[in-house]
Amino acid sequence: MVDAGGPVRPGLPESAGYALKRVLLGRPLITEQLRRERLSKKVALGVLSPDAISSSAYGPEEMLIALLPYAGAAAFTLVLPITGAILVILALVAASYRQVVSVYTRAGGSYVVARENFGPKTAQVAAAALLIDYVVTVAVQSSAGTVAVVSALPAFGPYSLEITIGVVVFLCLANLRGLREAGGPFALPTYLFSGLVGLVIIVGIVKWATVGLPVYDPARLPGTVPVHQGSGLVEGATVLVLLRAFANGGSSLTGVEAISNTVSALRKPQGQNARTVLTVMACILGFLVAGVSLLAHFTHATPYTAGYPSVLSQEVRAVFGRGTTGHVLYALVQAATALILYTGANTSFNGFPFLASFVAEDRFLPRQLTKRGHRLVFSNGIITLAVLAVALLAVTGGTVNALVPFYAIGVFTGFAMAGYGMTRHHLSHREPGWRHRLAVNGAAGVLSTLVVGIFAIAKFTEGAWLVVVVFPLLVAALIRVNHEYRAEAAILNEVRGNPVKQTNYSRHHVYVLVNNVDLAMLEALRYAHSLRLMDAEAVHFMLDAAHAQHLRTRWDELGITAPLKIVDCPDRRLIHAAAQFIVQATQGRENTGVTVLLPRRGYPPLSGRLLHDRTADRIAHAVNHLPHAVATIVPYDVRARIRQRFPQLPEERLARRLERLRDRLAGPPPGPLTEHNAPHPEPDTTAIAAVEPGRPVTVDGRLHSITDEERDGRRVLLATLTDSTGSLSLEFHTARPDLEAGQLLSLTGQAHTRARDGALVISDPDYRIIETEEPDTSDGHA
């Protein structure tokens, strides 16, 4: 390809998989682009609140689903005091989190609070709670968003699960492409939903007080949930029923912690701004939950077994009627509801990957979750979240009522950990006014714990048992992962403190274990001879005499000079036979080492699993436990050789077609020295390609690599500077600059030609680091 600032630079051929990734995800981003703007309070309210505010669309309905089969029409009265109890908890939790965001302005929420106050192991309770919460949030919010859609378009009702899964997959792909939530468009659904539903509530109350509102009769509405017909207030309103309704209504409080998870996303002063946004969000949520519950009391809007039309949609119909204006307003409310719910689901695609990377940095999750992918997002975390959410949707059928039991246990556990953590903080620091704050946080922690217990008991048979089982297992798994990482670190420290003495063997044998005469085996033999230790010997363990004879025949036909030893393996215990052979090879021979080479044929992951087993790995594992022996797997890419020999294979044609499509959609891929990896020279500087020996120049570029080595007893720092036209070597002899790979430099010096290879080098140049906007990796919005 032709670079904008230099000559043609041929690149390595790309695989079909990478070409497909470029088509789906677009151009790869580089680390320098990992930055974003801070959020104002208005934008932050819209961006960080959808999960919480949107829960008002289904929280009151979930209370009615629990009440109606047992309390009958009395459910529409009981829903009000239960809503009042939930609002009290909301006020207490919001007050607790106001203190969290004031003290802990880093991202992480209850996880950081628990880690700082109770230590990393206890913090895994909060980590497990938040991780479960994020997964269930995607499922619940997406399902509820689909309910809003099919309530307005009932013809799509039978396909609700498929629509919901499609939305999750779409959100996953969008976030893999680097979807950002740090802008006004993502704030719009929150304001639109809050304004429209607020209008419904106000108009509904005014109409009820003046002209009255229509009242639904569940007995005449086919498809509604069962409604108890007796004296429900006396017969059906048992303690367990009330607790179940309260537990269902607790789903209205999900998302309250979202702002504490991303405090660092706000403009400074971050703590003060976060308190303001949190307070406004809690007030809006409380008003909407109370209003929707009150309208349900007025109109007797009844949930349906199929999940649609929703209670909120029925309330909108009752308030605005079925005239032209009513139809328009109804469509707007349903569209706004779907938008905010889907946006609420999307917030987890930012929160989960970031939290997972945060926990992985603490070595409680696999390190792979800390890696940023093609578009500078935590791709592994995004994919993991999508897979878990889709699996949960498939298991539950994608109905909100079936998902709610999985929901609030994780949410309120996070609330409790934050409350207890802040209680510990106040007891430790005793800052002015600490007693009042201690009371608020302690009460929030205790009350949240009680709610967790209520959920575990009241919803145990409805699915909460799974969370009760999974939760401690997940905490145990997190601690086990940390144990493994700590064990590795301990061994590393032990080896570093007591370095293993180098062993110089007087004899060293190389054995190549072979099963067939193929390209991989020949490559292993070639590698064995290149070691130049002693003559290599091929060994075949005979499981089948006819196959061994055929192997010997092929060996002779091809004229392979290395000796072939055939070892009988009558019990067919191949791994044991290999280990026994190595033991015998070193037994009685002092100062003798053995290297075992195992050819491995490289194939794509799927076909490789189907076409070949993992015997080489098992043999290597056994051999590496033996003294004076080491096993090395020698990979050989069979597919690459096939591509060279047969370039017209279907997959090769597919790769070329994908490359052409990729170039049309996203432009050609960046080469090793293109503008994507190195800057263009500024007008007042010299391009690297134009640097000449003996002439002073000023060059701008990126440090591509740095090497610290010793020459003649002195330390020398070697570096490579690149721009969009080429590369230039640097040597620092007299100074020890604090440089890092990836930095942008502007340097001045005089180039000379290096004697050993003719490369251009600038020795000990004057330089300055070109400052860029500091990247912020403190939350998942990058």
Side-chain angles (χ1 to χ4, degrees), residues 313-559:
S313 71
Q314 295 174 62
E315 293 174 353
V316 177
R317 286 292 193 195
V319 170
F320 292 135
R322 295 183 176 270
T324 302
T325 303
H327 283 303
V328 172
L329 291 173
Y330 176 82
L332 287 175
V333 172
Q334 294 306 108
T337 304
L339 280 175
I340 192 174
L341 286 164
Y342 289 147
T343 303
N346 188 65
T347 58
S348 289
F349 280 98
N350 286 286
F352 179 95
F354 172 72
L355 176 66
S357 72
F358 201 46
V359 177
E361 286 177 0
D362 290 340
R363 300 187 300 180
F364 286 90
L365 280 175
R367 293 191 185 101
Q368 294 89 325
L369 293 170
T370 65
K371 296 180 181 179
R372 292 187 181 269
H374 191 78
R375 299 284 293 183
L376 290 182
V377 294
F378 296 110
S379 303
N380 292 331
I382 290 172
I383 294 172
T384 300
L385 175 61
V387 170
L388 292 175
V390 169
L392 184 58
L393 287 168
V395 169
T396 60
T399 61
V400 177
N401 187 48
L403 289 164
V404 162
F406 301 95
Y407 210 175
I409 288 183
V411 174
F412 281 93
T413 300
F415 292 169
M417 293 301 295
Y420 293 141
M422 290 304 299
T423 301
R424 178 73 174 271
H425 172 83
H426 295 315
L427 289 173
S428 301
H429 293 78
R430 297 179 183 269
E431 68 280 3
W434 67 273
R435 287 185 175 87
H436 168 71
R437 295 169 184 160
L438 175 69
V440 171
N441 291 123
V446 171
L447 198 55
S448 297
T449 303
L450 289 175
V451 174
V452 171
I454 291 172
F455 246 95
I457 296 171
K459 308 292 290 184
F460 187 83
T461 58
E462 298 178 27
W465 67 269
L466 184 58
V467 180
V468 172
V469 172
V470 169
F471 194 94
L473 292 178
L474 179 56
V475 174
L478 294 174
I479 295 175
R480 178 58 186 270
V481 169
N482 179 255
H483 175 76
E484 294 293 331
Y485 279 132
R486 291 177 64 190
E488 291 178 12
I491 293 297
L492 179 61
N493 290 332
E494 181 180 334
V495 172
R496 184 175 58 185
N498 301 282
V500 180
K501 295 182 179 180
Q502 182 177 353
T503 302
N504 295 316
Y505 294 111
S506 60
R507 299 178 60 83
H508 201 131
H509 293 284
V510 180
Y511 297 105
V512 181
L513 305 191
V514 302
N515 186 49
N516 293 291
V517 178
D518 56 17
L519 294 173
M521 184 277 298
L522 294 176
E523 175 64 18
L525 277 178
R526 184 201 63 77
Y527 175 68
H529 287 297
S530 72
L531 296 177
R532 297 181 179 179
L533 297 173
M534 298 186 67
D535 291 338
E537 186 175 8
V539 179
H540 172 71
F541 295 96
M542 185 177 69
L543 305 179
D544 181 85
H547 176 72
Q549 182 58 42
H550 176 71
L551 176 64
R552 171 75 72 183
T553 302
R554 288 289 294 159
W555 200 269
D556 296 337
E557 288 175 353
L558 294 173

Side-chain angles (χ1 to χ4, degrees), residues 156-173:
F156 292 98
Y159 310 101
S160 295
L161 178 60
E162 291 81 359
I163 294 172
T164 303
I165 291 177
V167 168
V168 173
V169 173
F170 172 79
L171 292 176
C172 175
L173 181 60

Side-chain angles (χ1 to χ4, degrees), residues 51 76 84 108 159 228 274 277 323 364 393 429 478 562 684 688 693:
D51 184 12
F76 299 109
Y159 310 101
H228 182 68
V277 173
F364 286 90
L393 287 168
H429 293 78
L478 294 174
D684 57 344
I688 288 180

